[in-house]
């Protein structure tokens, strides 16, 4: 009930004005509650240690709030992903070359050696990450994904807030 209160009253965008209509969108490929890449409300076998994909911005916000957290802003995301002094001591190239941009699918969290200056895993590649920031056309995502060009690690991309991030 508390989770519902935290999102109730937010602007849903994309023509969704009714809370019940909005919550009905939080379903997997079988129509059960859960990320769009899950089946029958359950994480697929063998994917338990992989990052969760297939969630809308609203689902990401709801989960973060359920855990007592918030989605990072672009500033905070870049601060966690990069070197404290990126211009002089760049980690970007090293992180990209040690991250999952394989084009073959997600990898277990921490499987690749692309670790940020603050011990952050998988900030580059694997799956893209929702940020708090609004952007023209929706919300911001960062980090690139397993099936995107590596240069997207350092570029913010706009995505529809209700779009399911399948990669």
């Amino acid at each position: 009930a508390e989770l519902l209160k935290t999102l109730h009253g937010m602007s849903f965008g994309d023509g969704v004005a009714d809370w019940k209509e909005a919550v009905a969108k939080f379903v997997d490929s079988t129509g059960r509650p859960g990320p769009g890449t899950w089946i029958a409300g359950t994480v697929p076998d063998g994917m338990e240690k992989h990052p969760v994909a297939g969630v809308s911005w609203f689902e990401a916000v709801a989960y973060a709030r359920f855990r007592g957290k918030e989605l990072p802003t672009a500033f905070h995301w870049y601060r966690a992903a990069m070197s404290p002094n990126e211009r002089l001591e760049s980690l970007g190239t090293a992180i990209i070359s040690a991250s999952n941009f394989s084009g073959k699918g997600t990898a277990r969290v921490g499987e690749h050696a692309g670790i940020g200056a603050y011990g952050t895993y998988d900030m580059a590649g694997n799956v893209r990450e929702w940020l708090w920031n609004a952007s023209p056309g929706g919300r911001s995502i960062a980090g690139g994904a397993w099936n995107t060009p590596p240069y997207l690690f350092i570029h913010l991309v706009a995505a529809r807030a209700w779009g399911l991030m399948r990669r």
Side-chain angles (χ1 to χ4, degrees):
E2 187 62 34
L3 177 61
L4 296 178
K5 288 181 202 172
T6 63
L7 286 179
H8 192 70
M10 288 180 70
S11 171
F12 295 109
D14 295 340
V16 179
D18 180 73
W19 175 248
K20 289 181 183 179
E21 180 185 350
V23 171
K25 290 186 171 209
F26 293 179
V27 296
D28 67 13
S29 59
T30 62
R32 294 191 179 171
T37 56
W38 288 13
I39 300 168
T42 306
V43 64
D45 289 340
M47 301 298 285
E48 297 85 356
K49 297 200 183 272
H50 287 243
V52 175
V55 297
S56 70
W57 180 85
F58 293 101
E59 290 168 301
V61 169
Y63 181 76
R65 289 186 178 174
F66 171 73
R67 291 289 180 191
K69 309 288 182 192
E70 296 288 335
L71 292 182
T73 65
F75 173 82
H76 292 108
W77 188 90
Y78 279 109
R79 185 72 165 143
M82 307 296 260
S83 165
N85 193 358
E86 189 64 23
R87 280 183 261 155
L88 298 176
E89 303 165 348
S90 179
L91 287 176
T93 304
I95 290 172
I96 288 171
S97 65
S99 297
N100 182 18
F101 287 102
S102 68
K104 297 178 183 174
T106 62
R108 290 183 319 276
V109 172
E111 180 176 328
H112 293 271
I115 302 171
Y118 299 100
T120 51
Y121 288 88
D122 297 320
M123 299 291 281
N126 231 4
V127 297
R128 297 178 291 182
E129 295 149 6
W130 285 110
L131 305 178
W132 181 256
N133 306 71
S135 47
R139 291 294 188 170
S140 296
I141 54 175
W146 60 269
N147 59 350
T148 63
Y151 67 82
L152 287 179
F153 166 52
I154 59 169
H155 292 284
L156 290 182
V157 178
R160 292 180 55 227
W162 280 115
L164 294 179
M165 305 302 294
R166 299 208 182 274
R167 49 185 178 166

